[in-house]
Amino acid sequence: MAEHTDVEEPSATRSAHEGILRRQSARESAARTYARALPIVPVRARGLTIEGADGRRYLDCLSGAGTLALGHNHPVVLEAIRKVLDSGAPLHVLDLATPVKDAFITELFRTLPPGLADHARVQFCGPAGTDAVEAAFKLVRAATGRNGMLAFAGAYHGMTSGALEASGDAFDVRVARLPYPQDYRCPFGAGGPHGAELAARWTESVLDDPKSGVPLPAGMILEPVQGEGGVLPAPDAWMRRMRRITADRSIPLIADEVQTGVGRTGAFWAVEHSGITPDVMVLSKAIGGSLPLAVVVYREELDVWEPGAHAGTFRGNQLAMAAGTATMAYVRENGLTERAATLGARMLEQLRGLSREFSVIGDVRGRGLMIGVEIVEEGEGGGARSGVAGPRGANGPDETGRSGGSRGSRGSDEDCRAAGLLGSVGLSSADDARPLVMPGSIASPRPASPELAVAVQRECLRRGLIVELGGRHASVVRLLPPLTITDEQATAVLDRLADAVAAVSRGHGRGAG
């Protein structure tokens, strides 16, 4: 792996690079995103490495927003694509049966949670995850005869209208929002099992209170790890609680595994950490092996659709199915899920050490090779909190890779009142200007700093490291390296990130990006 250098590239190369960027800015939509923060022109790529038109090399920890489970141009993926191309097979087949599709479905079903795989149907959708989300909503609405949906604060499910309604930044809300458990910015000020318990109680209250304003919904959709929401792993016990709540009320549970699937979190599917079996799984990104593909897998009892109830011209992407089959098989046969769990835990632990050194790091969290580093304003109070996968100790991290103080698994009445679940708590005039602190509550975190996060991202790019930003305030530096990343490459990634954080902490790069 070549290290980055800051030497000047030849003028002709630099001119070509700058010309492409200039034409992109002049001709492409103002809606472009990654291109603004990452002014590079990739021309070659292999594994973790991208080479730009300017001759510089970068370590890519964006991985196509999690699409590239095996990194760029993995040999098994290229071979699978070449085999289809060389065979003379049709590349466009609508939803007709083909040997390539049959092999894909067979491999996909081999990986699914047994409780689902044994009694499942699969629907091929348009080639983006958002279309699979739309299909899942249509499916459960048709199956239940109900219309409303339950989703969670901070969620991201896509950019089409129905998926946006269930996402955290919706404008026209027709979906009931529920609290998603998290430690660092827990909406109840509790975090840990206590905060998750309060969130679960809130969900039960919304569903069981006849005056909540939320009728029995057609389904609930959740991400086992919120990605765009800031890399927030759901506690396993909370996931099991959501499964129990929905099952008891005949509400289909939809697991959005678009970004968490195919080994990313240290299990082939992130729902496996908790042992639950959802009624519906929405899959995209890595299942296409770097090419566009999206499917919905669901219990056969829900298959009430009429022919053509959900269709799409490009739902039969043969090259993507071949690449996806090769990717899933490689991950399964080479133990890359276990590798992601082990290496991810090690990287989280090292980042936890970094958070103790730099006050701009407010929290470190993640699961497997889905890692987030929240950047906050510098100052005293609400210090860094971080965790690594493992059993919870008195004050240590829980199984999700998040940390919290010592708390019971159920909240007291006083705590629930403080969270607004059992009524109000009287405050004196001297107290009403101060935040209510309940027993076992966590310290208030420092404000998120999107400006410093942008500075960290920029400093990373200067050092040849590509990272994404996410989270509620775009203040979480996200690492999504390929599952094939080596120990040496992981060290290089963390070294460059540490250098970038140090540079920002010294006051460099504070301006607008």
Side-chain angles (χ1 to χ4, degrees), residues 367-403:
R367 196 156 205 174
L369 289 175
M370 192 170 181
I371 297 171
V373 178
E374 183 161 348
I375 305 300
V376 298
E377 293 181 5
E378 292 184 285
E380 298 299 323
R385 303 172 64 249
S386 54
V388 58
R392 176 179 287 279
N395 293 288
D398 69 7
E399 64 218 356
T400 68
R402 305 173 308 154
S403 66

Side-chain angles (χ1 to χ4, degrees), residues 282-294:
V282 178
L283 313 176
S284 187
K285 291 192 185 288
I287 64 161
S290 76
L291 299 178
L293 188 65

Side-chain angles (χ1 to χ4, degrees), residues 152-154 177-203 226 229 232-233 235 238 385 402 407 415-421 435-438 441-445 472:
F152 290 86
R177 288 298 191 285
L178 300 169
Y180 191 92
Q182 54 174 307
D183 279 359
Y184 190 58
R185 300 190 186 277
C186 175
F188 304 110
H194 190 179
E197 170 65 19
L198 295 176
R201 289 194 196 186
W202 182 270
T203 299
Q226 283 194 346
L232 300 172
W238 179 84
R385 303 172 64 249
R402 305 173 308 154
R407 308 174 190 91
D415 295 342
C416 292
R417 288 193 186 96
L421 299 180
L436 178 63
V437 179
M438 57 183 152
S441 62
I442 58 177
S444 296
R472 263 63 164 187

Side-chain angles (χ1 to χ4, degrees), residues 32 53 69 76 110 117 123 171 190 193 220 232 235 243 291 414 458 473:
R32 67 190 185 281
V76 303
R110 184 179 286 133
Q123 166 72 18
F171 295 104
M220 172 192 284
L232 300 172
R243 173 68 285 188
L291 299 178
E414 289 81 5
R458 184 173 59 244
H473 306 283

